[in-house]
Amino acid sequence: IMNRFSKDMESIDQELAPYSEAFVVDILSCLSTIVLITWITPAFLIFGVFVSILFGYVGILYLNLSRELKRFESITRSPINQHFTETLTGVTTIRAYGDERRFLVQNMQKIDTNNRPFFFVWANNRWMSFRAQFTGSSIVAISAALAVLAARQIDSGLAGISLSFAASFSTSALWVLRCYADVEININSVERVQEYITDIKEESATETPFDPPASWPEHGEISVEGLSLRYAPNLPLVIKDISFHVNSGEKVGVVGRTGAGKSTIITSFFRFIEPAQGKIVIDGVDITKIGLNSLRRGLAIIPQEPTLFTGSLRSNLDMFNESDDLSIYESLRRVGLISRDEYNSLRTVIESGQSLEEYNKSNENSEENVNKFTNLEAEVTENGGNLSQGERQLICLARSLLKSPKILLLDEATASIDYETDAMIQNTIREEFSESTILTIAHRLKTIIDYDKILVLDHGNAKEYDHPYNLITKEGSQFRSMCQDTGEFDELVRLAKEAYDAKK
Ligand code: ATP
Ligand code: MG
């Protein structure tokens, strides 16, 4: 994608246009020279045919080689970038082992390989230039000879014109070939950009006349009816005719083997893939009928990989600039990134109308170790690289809290963090989203054992859908055997029973 928007667009704008212009100019100039000379000395036509054949022959040889050389140059370029990126990522390791030299040499070798065809491009150019000049000169020679032979019939002025045009022929002819080769090579970029313009299907409309009000979804009731999904028309169904109903405020755990289609179902709520059949109805609204903006704003997801952007803490939490400082701090407090005391003093600052900037500055100057999350302008580097994995996850959670969504989707949100942080996040989710409907994909069955329902997926089919206690006590159920595999079966049964009794 980067290539299309940079290199290909550059070729189209800066190379293709001037080269095609030059090509047209030069070919017209060549043709007019030939027509002019033929008109002054008609016998030239006979020689002209031979010269053209010779010229065409040189041209074909030149073009064949240029094409190959160009291809060679472009396939030797990516290894340089690749090697460079790899080196950059592993630079600490390389330095630790004192092996800089090897990578330096590898890098130079790759650059050499890439430069080699460049040398031949010019050799080829010189080769062609010599032959084109030679052909051009033979045109001068022939037209001069013909003018001398017909000295008595033609006007001396005309003979002069014929000669001076013939002299400029070789330069134009040379450029015809060069420009043609460049146009041919660069037209490739047009093809590649064209592919993006016409061949890639756009997402559905972001806004439609049927969009629900901004407060949608108010209850968070989900109905999945006969849903089938596939990733592309030529691929098999990944989700096969699944139906289930989630009441407002219910917590549903989704489990299943790897590749069962759990993530697929979650992403289909955002319509990253459109249903092949069936529909998802949220609070009475069929989500396939509404614009993507309202849909995606209405739901919140905490993905497996916490996604952060380069910018400030604030820009990461409140992307659309919709919330005031206090509610942002509130959400940070609720996920535990700032303490209640810190929150209170920040609130005093905001309510008394003091500027936060000064507050932060005085904090920075103080000797104490200040919590960086009290400063909303704190820098977040690319992908949240300056934060720990758990902190990133908590920021994503705070971001969802800020939206206070009625529906929250979690895709193994806590799979890659330590048990303590996981427990803390799960607690926050339980407390803060008690009113919301939650769909959770979980690898640790313990996190979902006290949920209201469990959906067991198997090869895209919904195998079981019931309260975890009902499933775990049912002989031969898939969920039961999954729980048995964990080795903490008894505890899971106990937790499920507790939750079941509490619910009753
Ligand atoms: P895991 O527990 O490993 O995350 P999952 O249940 O989330 O598994 P999905 O990611 O939903 O599994 O994948 C379901 C099926 O869809 C798999 O067979 C997978 O190969 C296929 N699949 C996933 N993504 C794509 C894609 N972009 N294009 C084509 N097929 C895909
Ligand atoms: Mg998955």
Side-chain angles (χ1 to χ4, degrees), residues 172-273:
S172 304
L174 188 69
W175 281 105
V176 168
L177 280 184
R178 279 194 189 150
C179 293
Y180 181 83
D182 280 321
V183 168
E184 195 189 274
I185 287 159
N186 286 308
I187 206 86
N188 215 350
S189 299
V190 177
E191 231 167 54
R192 286 155 53 94
V193 170
Q194 181 71 16
E195 210 177 280
Y196 268 25
I197 297 174
T198 52
D199 298 353
I200 292 182
K201 234 180 99 208
E202 261 186 81
E203 265 193 331
S204 328
T206 47
E207 276 163 26
T208 66
F210 318 107
D211 284 358
S215 57
W216 177 86
E218 272 165 37
H219 310 289
E221 188 180 345
I222 304 170
S223 224
V224 175
E225 298 166 15
L227 183 71
S228 297
L229 300 165
R230 56 160 57 98
Y231 276 95
N234 56 338
L235 292 178
L237 286 176
V238 173
I239 295 294
K240 296 158 199 156
D241 194 19
I242 284 187
S243 303
F244 61 94
H245 184 87
V246 185
N247 291 322
S248 164
E250 262 184 346
K251 316 281 181 272
V252 176
V254 183
V255 296
R257 291 220 165 66
T258 219
K262 303 178 300 285
S263 304
T264 311
I265 285 213
I266 297 288
T267 38
S268 74
F269 275 83
F270 290 86
R271 282 170 62 197
F272 291 125
I273 45 173

Side-chain angles (χ1 to χ4, degrees), residues 387-419:
L387 300 168
S388 81
Q389 180 81 9
E391 283 170 342
R392 278 178 242 169
Q393 204 92 54
L394 289 173
I395 290 181
C396 286
L397 189 61
R399 183 197 288 154
S400 312
L401 271 179
L402 202 55
K403 273 172 90 179
S404 46
K406 280 316 278 181
I407 297 181
L408 179 66
L409 307 163
L410 296 138
D411 188 351
E412 291 173 16
T414 52
S416 55
I417 52 180
D418 64 286
Y419 189 78

Side-chain angles (χ1 to χ4, degrees), residues 295-314:
L295 173 67
R296 290 177 185 170
R297 270 173 184 241
L299 310 174
I301 185 166
I302 305 185
Q304 181 166 8
E305 273 296 304
T307 311
L308 296 182
F309 306 93
T310 313
S312 65
L313 189 55
R314 185 204 307 271

